[in-house]
C-alpha cells in the first residue's frame, strides 16, 4: 500500500456506497500481462478500440486499454451495469460522461494516467476533474512555465529555492489541469488566465480567475499523493466534503 503524509490508499469494500457529499479517488497500475490486457480490451466499445489502434507504440496502446477498461469496471461497481454495457457521451472538448441510458445521470467521473499509474475520481451531482503527472525534470523548466503559467504563478515558482521548483512546477501543472478538466472546456480555457497555489506544503487552491471574481469560490482543489515520483491534484465543484482513497485490487 502506498501512503502519503495526508492519506492512505485502501482496498475498497465489496459493496461501494457513494454519498452525495463524498468524493472517491481511485488509483490503479498500468502494467499487466497480455491476457489481462485482452480481457480489458474486450470490455471496450468500438470507438475506444479504434482509439487504441491509433497509438503508435504498443506500450501507450496497452496503457490506454488498461485505463479505459478499468474505468468501465470501476463505474460498473457503482451502477450495477455490466462494464461492456456502459455508454459514454462526450462534450465538444472531449470530456466523457455517462449517458442517461445506463443510469449515469447523477454520477460524475474523470480519469488521468501518466507513466505506470492511473487515477480516477467519482462523485455525484457535481463536476470533478483529476490529473496525475510523472515528474520529469526535463519538462519543468522556466520556458514552459512562462508559456503556460500565469504571471503570478511564474513569479512564485522562480522565487522558490531551486530544490523546491520541480515539486512546485508539477503542483501547479496538475492543479491547473484538474480544474480545466472539471470545467470540461479543454484548452479553450487558457492556462494563464487563472491562478492556483503551488508552493510545496501550501494547501491546493484556486486563487482567482480573470474576468470572473466569483469563479474561484465555486471550486475546491486538493493535492493527491499517489506515490513516489508522481504529482496529482483533484478539482471538485463546490465544497470538497469527505474524500475516500481506494486502490484497485491487483
Amino acid at each position: 500500500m502506498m501512503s502519503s503524509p495526508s492519506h492512505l490508499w485502501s482496498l475498497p469494500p465489496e459493496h461501494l456506497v457513494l454519498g452525495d457529499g463524498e468524493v472517491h479517488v481511485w488509483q490503479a497500475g498500468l502494467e499487466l500481462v497480455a491476457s489481462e490486457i485482452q480481457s480489458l480490451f474486450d470490455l471496450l466499445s468500438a470507438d475506444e478500440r479504434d482509439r487504441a489502434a491509433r497509438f503508435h507504440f504498443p506500450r501507450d496502446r496497452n496503457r490506454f486499454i488498461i485505463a479505459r477498461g478499468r474505468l468501465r469496471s470501476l463505474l460498473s461497481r457503482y451502477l450495477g451495469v455490466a462494464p461492456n454495457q456502459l455508454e459514454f457521451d462526450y462534450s465538444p472538448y472531449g470530456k466523457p460522461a455517462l449517458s442517461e441510458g445506463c443510469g449515469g445521470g447523477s454520477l460524475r467521473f474523470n480519469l488521468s494516467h501518466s507513466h505506470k499509474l492511473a487515477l480516477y475520481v467519482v462523485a455525484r451531482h457535481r463536476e470533478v476533474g483529476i490529473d496525475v503527472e510523472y515528474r520529469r525534470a526535463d519538462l519543468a523548466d522556466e520556458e514552459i512555465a512562462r508559456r503556460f503559467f500565469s504571471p503570478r504563478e511564474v513569479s512564485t515558482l522562480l522565487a522558490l529555492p531551486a530544490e523546491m521548483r520541480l515539486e512546485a512546477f508539477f503542483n501547479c501543472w496538475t492543479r491547473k489541469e484538474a480544474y480545466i478538466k472539471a470545467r470540461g472546456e479543454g484548452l479553450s480555457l487558457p492556462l494563464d488566465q487563472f491562478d492556483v497555489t503551488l508552493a510545496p506544503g501550501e494547501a491546493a487552491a484556486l486563487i482567482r480567475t480573470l474576468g470572473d471574481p466569483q469563479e474561484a469560490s465555486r471550486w475546491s482543489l486538493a493535492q493527491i499523493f499517489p506515490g513516489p515520483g508522481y504529482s496529482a491534484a483533484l478539482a471538485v465543484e463546490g465544497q470538497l466534503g469527505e474524500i475516500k482513497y481506494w486502490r484497485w485490487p491487483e
Side-chain angles (χ1 to χ4, degrees):
M1 178 186 301
M2 289 189 288
S3 63
S4 77
S6 65
H7 53 256
L8 296 174
W9 299 87
S10 304
L11 286 171
E14 183 178 353
H15 301 291
L16 280 169
V17 177
L18 175 63
D20 285 348
E22 292 182 346
V23 176
H24 288 188
V25 177
W26 292 74
Q27 69 160 242
L30 295 176
E31 300 290 299
L32 297 177
V33 299
S35 60
E36 293 172 312
I37 296 171
Q38 182 61 49
S39 295
L40 292 172
F41 180 81
D42 292 341
L43 302 179
L44 302 186
S45 64
D47 70 293
E48 287 171 324
R49 294 179 184 187
D50 288 343
R51 288 177 62 186
R54 291 198 289 268
F55 285 94
H56 179 72
F57 295 106
R59 182 187 64 184
D60 297 331
R61 180 168 60 252
N62 289 341
R63 288 176 178 174
F64 172 84
I65 292 167
I66 295 166
R68 293 293 298 213
R70 281 184 164 162
L71 172 67
R72 286 178 168 273
S73 297
L74 186 159
L75 294 176
S76 75
R77 299 187 62 170
Y78 291 97
L79 295 169
V81 177
N84 62 350
Q85 296 300 308
L86 294 174
E87 297 179 356
F88 298 103
D89 297 323
Y90 294 87
S91 75
Y93 299 99
K95 184 180 182 181
L98 285 160
S99 68
E100 294 286 344
C102 59
S106 69
L107 206 65
R108 303 288 187 272
F109 68 91
N110 197 229
L111 72 152
S112 178
H113 57 91
S114 179
H115 196 49
K116 299 180 181 181
L117 187 69
L119 292 185
Y120 307 85
V121 57
V122 186
R124 294 193 186 277
H125 304 295
R126 54 193 178 144
E127 297 300 331
V128 288
I130 199 164
D131 189 61
V132 60
E133 302 291 342
Y134 184 68
R135 293 196 292 265
R136 289 176 47 189
D138 59 317
L139 295 180
D141 65 19
E142 182 178 338
E143 180 181 349
I144 292 177
R146 291 189 183 279
R147 181 178 176 187
F148 293 106
F149 295 176
S150 71
R152 177 175 180 166
E153 292 162 345
V154 173
S155 178
T156 300
L157 179 69
L158 297 182
L160 291 170
E163 65 272 15
M164 298 175 67
R165 290 182 190 169
L166 179 66
E167 182 180 353
F169 178 96
F170 282 100
N171 283 347
C172 188
W173 188 272
T174 55
R175 292 169 194 181
K176 294 173 87 67
E177 284 287 330
Y179 171 62
I180 65 169
K181 291 177 71 178
R183 286 276 301 262
E185 298 175 18
L187 292 179
S188 67
L189 180 64
L191 289 172
D192 63 356
Q193 296 300 295
F194 60 94
D195 302 320
V196 299
T197 57
L198 57 95
E202 185 178 14
L206 177 64
I207 301 171
R208 67 171 186 142
T209 61
L210 295 181
D212 187 352
Q214 302 304 314
E215 172 70 3
S217 66
R218 292 194 284 264
W219 297 89
S220 299
L221 302 186
Q223 184 172 7
I224 306 297
F225 299 89
Y230 292 90
S231 294
L234 167 70
V236 176
E237 187 178 18
Q239 296 300 308
L240 207 51
E242 182 181 6
I243 307 175
K244 294 182 178 180
Y245 299 92
W246 307 120
R247 60 187 175 95
W248 192 263
E250 299 295 343

